[in-house]
Amino acid sequence: MRLDKFLKVSRLIKRRTLAKEVADQGRITINGNQAKASSTLTAGDELVIKFGQKLVTIHINDLRETVKKEEAESLYTVVKEEKLNN
């Protein structure tokens, strides 16, 4: 599954266009490698996303094309969340 689609389906980022912009700005890595919106994800991958002043590390549990709002969080596990000091 594409990175931008996963971010939208999992509701980590609300819109797919916004997910694409974040990826294109170089704020997401997959297993330590710089990610593009079109990068392919597999279950077990680890994402690191920079949200403003936060760095969030996420482990992907499952990939599904559609998911109900209540089940969206089951697709991933937040490994750690840390604040960035600038």
Side-chain angles (χ1 to χ4, degrees), residues 29-41:
T29 60
I30 301 172
N31 299 327
N33 299 317
Q34 196 69 40
K36 293 181 181 176
S38 61
S39 298
T40 303
L41 293 176

Side-chain angles (χ1 to χ4, degrees), residues 15 22 37 39 46 49 56 67 72 80:
R15 292 184 317 274
V22 170
S39 298
E46 189 170 273
I49 307 170
V56 182
V67 66
K80 67 179 175 183

Side-chain angles (χ1 to χ4, degrees), residues 3 6-7 10 12 28-32 35 41 44-49 56-60 76-77 79-80:
L3 173 62
F6 174 78
L7 292 172
S10 66
L12 284 164
I28 302 176
T29 60
I30 301 172
N31 299 327
L41 293 176
D45 283 347
E46 189 170 273
L47 295 180
V48 178
I49 307 170
V56 182
T57 304
I58 293 162
H59 177 83
I60 299 174
Y76 63 90
T77 305
V79 177
K80 67 179 175 183

